[in-house]
Tab-separated table of all heavy atoms in Angstrom:
chain	number	residue	atom	x	y	z
A	16	ILE	N	-9.086	-5.793	-3.419
A	16	ILE	CA	-7.700	-5.527	-3.156
A	16	ILE	C	-7.574	-4.199	-2.434
A	16	ILE	O	-8.149	-3.214	-2.881
A	16	ILE	CB	-6.858	-5.466	-4.466
A	16	ILE	CG1	-6.896	-6.875	-5.146
A	16	ILE	CG2	-5.432	-5.047	-4.213
A	16	ILE	CD1	-6.288	-6.870	-6.549
A	17	MET	N	-6.874	-4.171	-1.328
A	17	MET	CA	-6.726	-2.952	-0.559
A	17	MET	C	-5.294	-2.398	-0.783
A	17	MET	O	-4.370	-3.150	-0.963
A	17	MET	CB	-6.941	-3.228	0.927
A	17	MET	CG	-8.307	-3.822	1.278
A	17	MET	SD	-9.662	-2.720	0.816
A	17	MET	CE	-9.379	-1.337	1.843
A	18	GLY	N	-5.253	-1.052	-0.735
A	18	GLY	CA	-3.926	-0.461	-0.987
A	18	GLY	C	-3.811	0.915	-0.420
A	18	GLY	O	-4.793	1.515	0.059
A	19	TRP	N	-2.612	1.370	-0.458
A	19	TRP	CA	-2.264	2.774	-0.073
A	19	TRP	C	-1.582	3.484	-1.235
A	19	TRP	O	-0.697	2.908	-1.892
A	19	TRP	CB	-1.370	2.795	1.119
A	19	TRP	CG	-2.022	2.337	2.380
A	19	TRP	CD1	-2.010	1.076	2.936
A	19	TRP	CD2	-2.802	3.123	3.294
A	19	TRP	NE1	-2.754	1.021	4.064
A	19	TRP	CE2	-3.226	2.284	4.336
A	19	TRP	CE3	-3.155	4.476	3.323
A	19	TRP	CZ2	-4.015	2.756	5.393
A	19	TRP	CZ3	-3.950	4.939	4.388
A	19	TRP	CH2	-4.363	4.051	5.381
A	20	TYR	N	-1.985	4.685	-1.530
A	20	TYR	CA	-1.411	5.544	-2.490
A	20	TYR	C	-0.997	6.845	-1.794
A	20	TYR	O	-1.517	7.145	-0.697
A	20	TYR	CB	-2.336	5.836	-3.643
A	20	TYR	CG	-2.609	4.664	-4.563
A	20	TYR	CD1	-3.371	3.564	-4.088
A	20	TYR	CD2	-2.156	4.629	-5.861
A	20	TYR	CE1	-3.583	2.490	-4.935
A	20	TYR	CE2	-2.374	3.551	-6.673
A	20	TYR	CZ	-3.108	2.497	-6.232
A	20	TYR	OH	-3.340	1.381	-7.026
A	21	ARG	N	-0.146	7.642	-2.442
A	21	ARG	CA	0.206	8.910	-1.843
A	21	ARG	C	0.350	9.943	-2.963
A	21	ARG	O	0.642	9.588	-4.167
A	21	ARG	CB	1.469	8.792	-1.053
A	21	ARG	CG	2.716	8.508	-1.831
A	21	ARG	CD	3.907	8.295	-0.882
A	21	ARG	NE	5.136	8.000	-1.619
A	21	ARG	CZ	6.282	7.654	-1.036
A	21	ARG	NH1	6.362	7.552	0.295
A	21	ARG	NH2	7.370	7.418	-1.752
A	22	GLN	N	0.168	11.201	-2.583
A	22	GLN	CA	0.354	12.303	-3.495
A	22	GLN	C	1.090	13.427	-2.852
A	22	GLN	O	0.570	13.991	-1.852
A	22	GLN	CB	-1.002	12.805	-4.064
A	22	GLN	CG	-0.883	13.795	-5.160
A	22	GLN	CD	-2.181	14.048	-5.865
A	22	GLN	OE1	-3.290	13.670	-5.404
A	22	GLN	NE2	-2.138	14.580	-7.067
A	23	ALA	N	2.250	13.750	-3.349
A	23	ALA	CA	3.045	14.840	-2.814
A	23	ALA	C	2.681	16.128	-3.563
A	23	ALA	O	2.199	15.996	-4.714
A	23	ALA	CB	4.522	14.549	-2.951
A	24	PRO	N	2.935	17.291	-2.998
A	24	PRO	CA	2.603	18.548	-3.668
A	24	PRO	C	3.295	18.643	-5.034
A	24	PRO	O	4.457	18.374	-5.161
A	24	PRO	CB	3.174	19.598	-2.733
A	24	PRO	CG	3.141	18.944	-1.399
A	24	PRO	CD	3.457	17.466	-1.638
A	25	GLY	N	2.493	18.935	-6.045
A	25	GLY	CA	3.003	19.070	-7.399
A	25	GLY	C	3.249	17.788	-8.135
A	25	GLY	O	3.808	17.830	-9.246
A	26	LYS	N	2.927	16.670	-7.502
A	26	LYS	CA	3.230	15.373	-8.124
A	26	LYS	C	1.939	14.572	-8.334
A	26	LYS	O	0.898	14.836	-7.697
A	26	LYS	CB	4.201	14.600	-7.312
A	26	LYS	CG	5.579	15.186	-7.214
A	26	LYS	CD	6.539	14.305	-6.510
A	26	LYS	CE	7.958	14.903	-6.507
A	26	LYS	NZ	8.961	14.002	-5.823
A	27	GLN	N	1.993	13.577	-9.200
A	27	GLN	CA	0.869	12.716	-9.411
A	27	GLN	C	0.708	11.706	-8.248
A	27	GLN	O	1.680	11.387	-7.576
A	27	GLN	CB	1.002	11.968	-10.709
A	27	GLN	CG	0.893	12.831	-11.942
A	27	GLN	CD	0.890	12.029	-13.242
A	27	GLN	OE1	1.443	10.916	-13.271
A	27	GLN	NE2	0.269	12.539	-14.271
A	28	ARG	N	-0.486	11.241	-8.083
A	28	ARG	CA	-0.714	10.219	-7.080
A	28	ARG	C	0.015	8.935	-7.495
A	28	ARG	O	-0.031	8.560	-8.689
A	28	ARG	CB	-2.192	9.932	-6.953
A	28	ARG	CG	-2.589	9.054	-5.745
A	28	ARG	CD	-4.082	9.026	-5.540
A	28	ARG	NE	-4.680	10.368	-5.295
A	28	ARG	CZ	-5.960	10.531	-4.893
A	28	ARG	NH1	-6.780	9.489	-4.807
A	28	ARG	NH2	-6.378	11.741	-4.708
A	29	GLU	N	0.650	8.287	-6.531
A	29	GLU	CA	1.409	7.082	-6.881
A	29	GLU	C	1.124	5.958	-5.934
A	29	GLU	O	0.739	6.164	-4.752
A	29	GLU	CB	2.937	7.365	-6.823
A	29	GLU	CG	3.437	7.787	-5.474
A	29	GLU	CD	4.963	8.003	-5.415
A	29	GLU	OE1	5.593	7.983	-6.487
A	29	GLU	OE2	5.458	8.222	-4.325
A	30	LEU	N	1.325	4.740	-6.430
A	30	LEU	CA	1.116	3.572	-5.619
A	30	LEU	C	2.185	3.444	-4.522
A	30	LEU	O	3.364	3.704	-4.757
A	30	LEU	CB	1.213	2.315	-6.481
A	30	LEU	CG	1.247	0.953	-5.735
A	30	LEU	CD1	-0.103	0.642	-5.204
A	30	LEU	CD2	1.735	-0.126	-6.695
A	31	VAL	N	1.738	3.113	-3.326
A	31	VAL	CA	2.705	2.818	-2.224
A	31	VAL	C	2.757	1.301	-2.030
A	31	VAL	O	3.799	0.709	-2.047
A	31	VAL	CB	2.279	3.529	-0.946
A	31	VAL	CG1	3.227	3.145	0.206
A	31	VAL	CG2	2.270	5.022	-1.138
A	32	ALA	N	1.593	0.707	-1.749
A	32	ALA	CA	1.546	-0.716	-1.502
A	32	ALA	C	0.110	-1.248	-1.673
A	32	ALA	O	-0.826	-0.514	-1.500
A	32	ALA	CB	2.058	-1.055	-0.098
A	33	THR	N	-0.013	-2.516	-2.040
A	33	THR	CA	-1.282	-3.182	-2.127
A	33	THR	C	-1.218	-4.536	-1.446
A	33	THR	O	-0.130	-5.120	-1.292
A	33	THR	CB	-1.774	-3.363	-3.552
A	33	THR	OG1	-0.807	-4.222	-4.239
A	33	THR	CG2	-1.891	-2.039	-4.255
A	34	ILE	N	-2.359	-5.026	-1.069
A	34	ILE	CA	-2.496	-6.369	-0.448
A	34	ILE	C	-3.782	-7.016	-0.943
A	34	ILE	O	-4.859	-6.414	-0.875
A	34	ILE	CB	-2.389	-6.304	1.104
A	34	ILE	CG1	-2.373	-7.693	1.680
A	34	ILE	CG2	-3.494	-5.447	1.702
A	34	ILE	CD1	-2.011	-7.685	3.140
A	35	SER	N	-3.652	-8.232	-1.383
A	35	SER	CA	-4.842	-8.950	-1.906
A	35	SER	C	-5.639	-9.582	-0.762
A	35	SER	O	-5.216	-9.546	0.404
A	35	SER	CB	-4.399	-10.030	-2.896
A	35	SER	OG	-3.734	-11.094	-2.137
A	36	THR	N	-6.752	-10.127	-1.114
A	36	THR	CA	-7.589	-10.796	-0.093
A	36	THR	C	-6.831	-11.959	0.537
A	36	THR	O	-7.070	-12.279	1.695
A	36	THR	CB	-8.875	-11.254	-0.695
A	36	THR	OG1	-8.609	-12.122	-1.770
A	36	THR	CG2	-9.773	-10.097	-1.163
A	37	GLY	N	-5.932	-12.574	-0.227
A	37	GLY	CA	-5.150	-13.674	0.297
A	37	GLY	C	-3.873	-13.289	0.997
A	37	GLY	O	-3.155	-14.160	1.427
A	38	GLY	N	-3.590	-11.965	1.034
A	38	GLY	CA	-2.401	-11.512	1.722
A	38	GLY	C	-1.183	-11.266	0.872
A	38	GLY	O	-0.108	-10.935	1.392
A	39	ARG	N	-1.340	-11.412	-0.454
A	39	ARG	CA	-0.192	-11.137	-1.343
A	39	ARG	C	0.039	-9.638	-1.352
A	39	ARG	O	-0.900	-8.853	-1.597
A	39	ARG	CB	-0.507	-11.675	-2.707
A	39	ARG	CG	0.671	-11.492	-3.692
A	39	ARG	CD	0.408	-12.184	-5.000
A	39	ARG	NE	1.509	-12.053	-5.938
A	39	ARG	CZ	1.570	-12.680	-7.117
A	39	ARG	NH1	0.571	-13.420	-7.541
A	39	ARG	NH2	2.602	-12.478	-7.902
A	40	THR	N	1.287	-9.231	-1.207
A	40	THR	CA	1.634	-7.810	-1.129
A	40	THR	C	2.496	-7.347	-2.295
A	40	THR	O	3.141	-8.138	-2.955
A	40	THR	CB	2.394	-7.504	0.200
A	40	THR	OG1	3.593	-8.320	0.219
A	40	THR	CG2	1.535	-7.829	1.397
A	41	ASN	N	2.380	-6.049	-2.530
A	41	ASN	CA	3.139	-5.409	-3.609
A	41	ASN	C	3.517	-4.040	-3.144
A	41	ASN	O	2.699	-3.334	-2.518
A	41	ASN	CB	2.277	-5.308	-4.896
A	41	ASN	CG	3.020	-4.636	-5.981
A	41	ASN	OD1	4.101	-5.027	-6.379
A	41	ASN	ND2	2.422	-3.551	-6.518
A	42	TYR	N	4.811	-3.636	-3.382
A	42	TYR	CA	5.291	-2.403	-2.857
A	42	TYR	C	5.975	-1.595	-3.997
A	42	TYR	O	6.602	-2.168	-4.873
A	42	TYR	CB	6.326	-2.611	-1.770
A	42	TYR	CG	5.800	-3.258	-0.516
A	42	TYR	CD1	5.842	-4.623	-0.326
A	42	TYR	CD2	5.226	-2.503	0.494
A	42	TYR	CE1	5.370	-5.207	0.794
A	42	TYR	CE2	4.728	-3.077	1.676
A	42	TYR	CZ	4.774	-4.463	1.798
A	42	TYR	OH	4.322	-5.032	2.944
A	43	ALA	N	5.899	-0.298	-3.858
A	43	ALA	CA	6.714	0.593	-4.691
A	43	ALA	C	8.197	0.395	-4.310
A	43	ALA	O	8.500	0.167	-3.137
A	43	ALA	CB	6.304	2.020	-4.501
A	44	ASP	N	9.076	0.544	-5.291
A	44	ASP	CA	10.479	0.389	-4.996
A	44	ASP	C	10.970	1.355	-3.919
A	44	ASP	O	11.839	1.007	-3.090
A	44	ASP	CB	11.314	0.601	-6.269
A	44	ASP	CG	11.118	-0.516	-7.285
A	44	ASP	OD1	10.621	-1.594	-6.908
A	44	ASP	OD2	11.456	-0.296	-8.445
A	45	SER	N	10.377	2.528	-3.859
A	45	SER	CA	10.832	3.581	-2.963
A	45	SER	C	10.525	3.273	-1.522
A	45	SER	O	11.144	3.847	-0.614
A	45	SER	CB	10.195	4.923	-3.337
A	45	SER	OG	8.796	4.811	-3.289
A	46	VAL	N	9.640	2.311	-1.226
A	46	VAL	CA	9.271	2.004	0.139
A	46	VAL	C	9.613	0.607	0.579
A	46	VAL	O	9.440	0.214	1.701
A	46	VAL	CB	7.801	2.299	0.384
A	46	VAL	CG1	7.407	3.726	-0.002
A	46	VAL	CG2	6.884	1.275	-0.279
A	47	THR	N	10.042	-0.232	-0.414
A	47	THR	CA	10.368	-1.628	-0.130
A	47	THR	C	11.429	-1.686	0.954
A	47	THR	O	12.432	-1.022	0.882
A	47	THR	CB	10.822	-2.295	-1.415
A	47	THR	OG1	9.780	-2.330	-2.349
A	47	THR	CG2	11.241	-3.762	-1.143
A	48	GLY	N	11.153	-2.519	1.965
A	48	GLY	CA	12.053	-2.715	3.068
A	48	GLY	C	11.849	-1.733	4.194
A	48	GLY	O	12.388	-1.880	5.283
A	49	ARG	N	10.992	-0.729	3.988
A	49	ARG	CA	10.703	0.258	5.020
A	49	ARG	C	9.238	0.238	5.435
A	49	ARG	O	8.927	0.445	6.628
A	49	ARG	CB	11.052	1.707	4.561
A	49	ARG	CG	12.533	1.847	4.202
A	49	ARG	CD	12.865	3.320	3.903
A	49	ARG	NE	12.086	3.865	2.778
A	49	ARG	CZ	11.302	4.932	2.839
A	49	ARG	NH1	11.100	5.566	3.994
A	49	ARG	NH2	10.681	5.384	1.748
A	50	PHE	N	8.341	-0.011	4.513
A	50	PHE	CA	6.913	-0.025	4.795
A	50	PHE	C	6.377	-1.429	4.730
A	50	PHE	O	6.865	-2.251	3.969
A	50	PHE	CB	6.135	0.831	3.761
A	50	PHE	CG	6.420	2.321	3.800
A	50	PHE	CD1	7.428	2.874	4.602
A	50	PHE	CD2	5.598	3.183	3.030
A	50	PHE	CE1	7.612	4.215	4.627
A	50	PHE	CE2	5.783	4.510	3.058
A	50	PHE	CZ	6.791	5.079	3.844
A	51	ILE	N	5.372	-1.658	5.604
A	51	ILE	CA	4.709	-2.978	5.576
A	51	ILE	C	3.205	-2.762	5.575
A	51	ILE	O	2.646	-2.074	6.415
A	51	ILE	CB	5.091	-3.787	6.842
A	51	ILE	CG1	6.621	-4.016	6.898
A	51	ILE	CG2	4.354	-5.126	6.835
A	51	ILE	CD1	7.070	-4.626	8.170
A	52	ILE	N	2.575	-3.402	4.564
A	52	ILE	CA	1.109	-3.353	4.500
A	52	ILE	C	0.540	-4.680	5.073
A	52	ILE	O	1.115	-5.762	4.841
A	52	ILE	CB	0.584	-3.095	3.058
A	52	ILE	CG1	-0.923	-2.853	3.020
A	52	ILE	CG2	1.027	-4.246	2.135
A	52	ILE	CD1	-1.390	-2.367	1.644
A	53	SER	N	-0.566	-4.595	5.793
A	53	SER	CA	-1.189	-5.754	6.325
A	53	SER	C	-2.693	-5.498	6.446
A	53	SER	O	-3.124	-4.389	6.328
A	53	SER	CB	-0.599	-6.087	7.707
A	53	SER	OG	-0.826	-5.010	8.609
A	54	ARG	N	-3.411	-6.598	6.603
A	54	ARG	CA	-4.890	-6.434	6.734
A	54	ARG	C	-5.383	-7.391	7.861
A	54	ARG	O	-4.861	-8.477	8.038
A	54	ARG	CB	-5.569	-6.724	5.412
A	54	ARG	CG	-5.363	-8.088	4.840
A	54	ARG	CD	-5.851	-8.149	3.399
A	54	ARG	NE	-7.292	-7.963	3.243
A	54	ARG	CZ	-7.924	-7.607	2.135
A	54	ARG	NH1	-7.210	-7.428	1.027
A	54	ARG	NH2	-9.205	-7.471	2.103
A	55	ASP	N	-6.357	-6.878	8.563
A	55	ASP	CA	-7.044	-7.667	9.599
A	55	ASP	C	-8.477	-7.859	9.096
A	55	ASP	O	-9.307	-6.962	9.208
A	55	ASP	CB	-7.005	-6.902	10.935
A	55	ASP	CG	-7.552	-7.705	12.067
A	55	ASP	OD1	-8.393	-8.628	11.832
A	55	ASP	OD2	-7.185	-7.468	13.213
A	56	ASN	N	-8.749	-9.056	8.602
A	56	ASN	CA	-10.013	-9.332	8.038
A	56	ASN	C	-11.135	-9.309	9.065
A	56	ASN	O	-12.299	-8.976	8.730
A	56	ASN	CB	-10.013	-10.662	7.294
A	56	ASN	CG	-9.106	-10.633	6.085
A	56	ASN	OD1	-8.922	-9.597	5.434
A	56	ASN	ND2	-8.549	-11.746	5.715
A	57	ALA	N	-10.826	-9.616	10.314
A	57	ALA	CA	-11.839	-9.594	11.369
A	57	ALA	C	-12.299	-8.180	11.683
A	57	ALA	O	-13.423	-7.943	12.122
A	57	ALA	CB	-11.316	-10.284	12.611
A	58	LYS	N	-11.375	-7.236	11.439
A	58	LYS	CA	-11.748	-5.829	11.791
A	58	LYS	C	-12.001	-5.005	10.504
A	58	LYS	O	-12.198	-3.784	10.610
A	58	LYS	CB	-10.565	-5.212	12.563
A	58	LYS	CG	-10.341	-5.821	13.892
A	58	LYS	CD	-9.199	-5.114	14.629
A	58	LYS	CE	-8.976	-5.686	16.073
A	58	LYS	NZ	-7.860	-5.054	16.748
A	59	ASN	N	-11.936	-5.623	9.314
A	59	ASN	CA	-12.144	-4.897	8.093
A	59	ASN	C	-11.239	-3.732	7.982
A	59	ASN	O	-11.611	-2.631	7.530
A	59	ASN	CB	-13.599	-4.448	7.936
A	59	ASN	CG	-14.564	-5.582	7.919
A	59	ASN	OD1	-14.231	-6.679	7.401
A	59	ASN	ND2	-15.724	-5.373	8.482
A	60	THR	N	-9.965	-3.904	8.360
A	60	THR	CA	-8.986	-2.815	8.410
A	60	THR	C	-7.672	-3.203	7.750
A	60	THR	O	-7.228	-4.349	7.870
A	60	THR	CB	-8.744	-2.445	9.885
A	60	THR	OG1	-9.967	-2.048	10.538
A	60	THR	CG2	-7.747	-1.262	9.990
């Protein structure tokens, strides 16, 4: 499962978004509707 996390100064690291091998996505409430996670399996990216 691939994902993005973030850490702001003075704060704990938090989940931003994840994507499974099958393309299922999950987002933090704070970024839903603004951020999009995707994966290109051919490029391992």
